[in-house]
């Protein structure tokens, strides 16, 4: 059976001399692996569309949940991302994270939209890496079923207090009064009001407004630390692409 679906290459793994196994995030089938014959031929038809970050309309042959690429019409390759080592390292991490949490064998249109929009803002220099990383981390975790409760303090239900803390392990907020009841060694982050507002925006805003907020560089650094810790607490997986990105950004 043949299917036609939009998708982006999350990973390319070379096999034999000229062929590849592609990890794709597709609109209709989520994350899949697909065999691409001749993808590494210098002048092959699939050469460009099989590379990391290539966004194409794929024609796939499906047989018992195994896929092979018959054709791919290229839509975008995000050249400015590919040409910048910091942007490329971040994009590689976003792809690895997506491959870990996005659904398999089911519709993943919202995941594809999030990744494409994030790459667009990076490619067009409309948002920085420091902005995109925590936004993507918190949003995709929310989509994948790890949405934190940022409405109010988990103990007294206060929406805002002079001090508000985020608890990454329990995915909750707690105010400065109630935090005194927690064990001293529990991981917690005292939130700047701007960071809390940004986190709430990322979690709850509609797709059309997701990227429409601003935060100073020092506050973005705190947001990056928090979102990164949240990933670590709930996925318990080491991302080598994240380590490389952090090395580049330092």
């Amino acid at each position: 059976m043949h299917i036609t679906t939009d998708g982006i290459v999350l990973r390319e793994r070379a096999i034999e001399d000229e062929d590849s196994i592609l990890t794709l995030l597709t609109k209709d089938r989520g994350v899949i692996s697909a065999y691409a014959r001749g993808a590494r031929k210098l002048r092959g038809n699939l050469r460009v569309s099989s590379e990391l970050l290539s966004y194409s309309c794929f024609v796939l042959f499906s047989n018992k949940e195994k896929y092979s690429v018959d054709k791919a019409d290229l839509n975008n390759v995000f050249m400015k991302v590919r040409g910048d080592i910091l942007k490329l390292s971040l994009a590689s991490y976003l792809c690895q994270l997506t491959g870990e949490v996005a659904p398999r064998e089911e519709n993943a249109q919202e995941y594809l939209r999030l990744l494409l929009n994030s790459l667009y803002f990076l490619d067009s220099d409309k948002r920085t890496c420091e902005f995109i990383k925590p936004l993507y981390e918190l949003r995709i975790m929310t989509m994948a079923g790890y949405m934190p409760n940022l409405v109010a303090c988990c103990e007294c239900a206060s929406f805002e207090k002079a001090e508000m803390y985020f608890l990454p392990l329990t995915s909750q907020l707690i105010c400065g009064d109630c935090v005194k009841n927690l064990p001293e060694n529990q991981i917690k982050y005292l939130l700047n009001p701007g960071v809390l507002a940004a986190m709430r925006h990322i979690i709850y805003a509609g797709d059309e407004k997701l990227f429409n907020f601003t935060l100073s560089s020092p506050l973005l650094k705190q947001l990056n630390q928090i979102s990164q810790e949240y990933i670590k607490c709930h996925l318990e997986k080491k991302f080598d692409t994240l380590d490389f990105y952090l090395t580049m950004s330092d």
Side-chain angles (χ1 to χ4, degrees):
M1 178 178 70
H2 282 89
I3 63 170
T4 301
T5 184
D6 292 330
I8 189 169
V9 179
L10 301 179
R11 183 189 177 197
E12 178 191 10
R13 180 167 60 88
I15 57 173
E16 300 179 356
D17 292 331
E18 298 180 333
D19 305 338
S20 295
I21 297 293
L22 307 181
T23 301
L24 303 176
L25 173 64
T26 65
K27 175 181 176 181
D28 302 294
R29 299 293 177 99
V31 177
I32 62 172
S33 294
Y35 176 72
R37 183 183 299 277
R40 300 176 64 243
K41 284 184 179 179
L42 188 59
R43 297 183 181 179
N45 293 331
L46 298 178
R47 175 79 179 190
V48 177
S49 55
S50 297
E51 296 176 345
L52 179 70
L53 303 183
S54 290
Y55 171 52
S56 304
C57 179
F58 288 93
V59 178
L60 306 170
F61 179 73
S62 172
N63 181 25
K64 297 180 180 179
E65 297 187 356
K66 292 184 178 180
Y67 298 90
S68 59
V69 180
D70 280 0
K71 183 182 177 183
D73 294 325
L74 190 67
N75 294 323
N76 200 332
V77 292
F78 302 102
M79 289 301 296
K80 289 185 179 179
V81 173
R82 289 185 178 189
D84 184 299
I85 186 61
L86 183 62
K87 292 180 180 179
L88 180 59
S89 62
L90 175 59
S92 299
Y93 166 57
L94 301 187
C95 287
Q96 187 179 14
L97 177 58
T98 303
E100 184 69 21
V101 302
R104 283 158 170 75
E105 295 297 333
E106 61 183 78
N107 187 286
Q109 183 174 358
E110 60 178 331
Y111 290 85
L112 183 60
R113 182 189 301 116
L114 176 64
L115 182 55
L116 291 175
N117 285 343
S118 298
L119 293 173
Y120 163 76
F121 277 101
L122 281 177
D123 199 62
S124 60
D125 292 320
K126 292 187 175 181
R127 295 293 185 272
T128 64
C129 292
E130 193 176 38
F131 180 98
I132 292 294
K133 176 181 169 290
L135 180 150
Y136 196 91
E137 289 173 324
L138 289 176
R139 187 70 169 200
I140 200 170
M141 288 291 282
T142 296
M143 291 161 50
Y146 298 93
M147 183 173 72
N149 183 355
L150 303 181
V151 175
C153 172
C154 61
E155 295 291 333
C156 69
S158 296
F159 181 76
E160 283 188 8
K161 285 282 189 73
E163 292 185 349
M164 297 291 282
Y165 292 81
F166 178 60
L167 308 175
L169 284 172
T170 60
S171 308
Q172 295 172 318
L173 287 177
I174 193 166
C175 72
D177 296 328
C178 298
V179 76
K180 301 169 185 176
N181 301 324
L182 294 179
E184 290 186 5
N185 62 346
Q186 183 164 343
I187 301 173
K188 54 186 175 293
Y189 290 92
L190 177 60
L191 298 176
N192 176 282
V195 172
L196 175 55
M199 291 176 69
R200 283 172 169 160
H201 179 88
I202 293 167
I203 298 302
Y204 301 121
D207 291 335
E208 69 283 356
K209 297 182 179 179
L210 178 58
F211 295 83
N212 296 344
F213 69 93
T214 59
L215 211 57
S216 67
S217 183
L219 296 186
L220 280 173
K221 289 181 180 178
Q222 183 188 32
L223 183 58
N224 269 274
Q225 183 182 9
I226 292 169
S227 62
Q228 194 170 300
E229 182 66 27
Y230 194 61
I231 295 280
K232 178 181 177 181
C233 287
H234 291 275
L235 297 187
E236 298 181 345
K237 177 181 175 61
K238 183 178 177 62
F239 293 92
D240 57 336
T241 50
L242 173 60
D243 293 339
F244 184 71
Y245 167 73
L246 294 176
T247 300
M248 291 296 97
S249 60
D250 287 343

